[in-house]
Amino acid sequence: MKSTGIVRKLDELGRITLPIELRRTLGVEERDALEIFVEEDRIILKKYEPADIFNGTKDELFDYCGKKVSKKSITELAKLAGIIE
């Protein structure tokens, strides 16, 4: 882990502001979704990338009922259902 030397305080609602230099460097834009992970005593923020709900792949995604599903999963489900061979 690399220290940036940047320190921020939480506001009364528990929020912090990410400095513009960090956002530009990491490609985080206004309104981008961030995932939050906890590892021991660390809080890790990662830019959210949607993935297939069945296998976690990020290729050829379709939105179905608010969920991301890959073309591969759709094909496998169609085979399982006997719709295609």
Side-chain angles (χ1 to χ4, degrees):
M1 192 176 326
K2 187 165 60 171
S3 175
T4 63
I6 299 168
V7 176
R8 291 286 192 254
K9 290 186 179 186
L10 292 176
D11 70 8
E12 61 277 353
L13 296 176
R15 299 174 298 196
I16 60 168
T17 302
L18 298 177
I20 190 74
E21 300 83 20
L22 276 179
R23 288 182 276 146
R24 285 182 181 150
T25 301
L26 300 173
V28 177
E29 302 290 331
E30 191 174 301
R31 302 279 182 224
D32 278 352
L34 299 176
E35 281 188 276
I36 303 170
F37 298 91
V38 176
E39 186 178 284
E40 295 178 17
D41 64 341
R42 295 179 178 95
I43 299 170
I44 300 166
L45 300 175
K46 181 181 175 190
K47 189 172 177 177
Y48 173 70
E49 294 181 47
D52 183 303
I53 60 168
F54 297 109
N55 61 24
T57 62
K58 298 178 181 177
D59 299 323
E60 299 184 280
L61 296 178
F62 296 91
D63 192 39
Y64 179 73
C65 295
K67 305 290 184 192
K68 298 295 182 184
V69 184
S70 69
K71 185 175 183 177
K72 181 179 178 184
S73 288
I74 294 169
T75 303
E76 290 174 7
L77 289 168
K79 286 178 184 177
L80 189 66
I83 297 170
I84 62 172
E85 291 184 25

